[in-house]
Amino acid sequence: MKLGIILGSNELDRVAYAGMHALIAASLDNEVVIFATMDGVKAFLKDPELKVSGETSKVIKEQGENVFEHFKKAKKSGKLKILACSYASKIHGLDKDKYSDLVDDIVGITSFSLEVEGSQIITVW
């Protein structure tokens, strides 16, 4: 099975959720494709911009949890692909050099849709 995750937020708790969901799905031998769009692209910069405004985000930050460890573990499995939205990259002035090594490519929504066609899709906003 393949799972598509659309991440449209850079709020710490939402990024953490996307990472945990990706890791669990990958550990169950599923292919996972994350499409980071709108503010979600900011989470995957070399110097990530993560918002901490909700209570859960504050607790995660206070505990010092590195939410990117979930993504790294899922990537090691070979089952996770992270794609940055070309439109969001354009409006935020981002190119491949500004993204962390976690990002595999910059693509449009059409490419992502074709990649996950017929798959389960969840959205994290």
Side-chain angles (χ1 to χ4, degrees), residues 2 9 11 29-30 34 38 53 66 75 116 120 124-125:
K2 188 180 272 191
S9 173
E11 181 70 36
D29 206 33
N30 296 301
I34 294 178
M38 300 310 165
S53 56
N66 181 351
K75 291 286 274 186
V116 297
Q120 178 183 5
V124 182
W125 290 93

Side-chain angles (χ1 to χ4, degrees), residues 1-122:
M1 181 177 131
K2 188 180 272 191
L3 171 67
I5 299 174
I6 300 172
L7 177 63
S9 173
N10 64 330
E11 181 70 36
L12 181 58
D13 61 343
R14 293 178 180 133
V15 174
Y17 174 78
M20 286 185 283
H21 204 92
L23 178 58
I24 290 166
S27 69
L28 294 172
D29 206 33
N30 296 301
E31 291 181 50
V32 181
V33 182
I34 294 178
F35 185 67
T37 188
M38 300 310 165
D39 285 344
V41 295
K42 296 176 183 179
F44 294 102
L45 298 174
K46 286 181 180 171
D47 186 18
E49 294 179 23
L50 298 173
K51 290 195 301 189
V52 179
S53 56
E55 190 62 33
T56 303
S57 289
K58 290 175 185 174
V59 171
I60 291 170
K61 184 174 181 175
E62 287 170 7
Q63 292 178 349
E65 182 180 338
N66 181 351
V67 297
F68 295 101
E69 287 304 312
H70 303 302
F71 296 106
K72 290 175 184 175
K73 287 177 184 175
K75 291 286 274 186
K76 279 186 181 179
S77 74
K79 297 287 185 178
L80 174 62
K81 184 185 293 185
I82 299 176
L83 305 172
C85 173
S86 59
Y87 176 73
S89 297
K90 180 181 174 185
I91 62 174
H92 291 296
L94 304 171
D95 58 24
K96 185 77 166 106
D97 294 341
K98 301 226 172 129
Y99 286 110
S100 77
D101 293 341
L102 291 171
V103 174
D104 295 290
D105 204 358
I106 299 172
V107 301
I109 187 73
T110 304
S111 295
F112 168 72
S113 296
L114 292 171
E115 176 92 20
V116 297
E117 186 175 13
S119 303
Q120 178 183 5
I121 308 257
I122 64 166

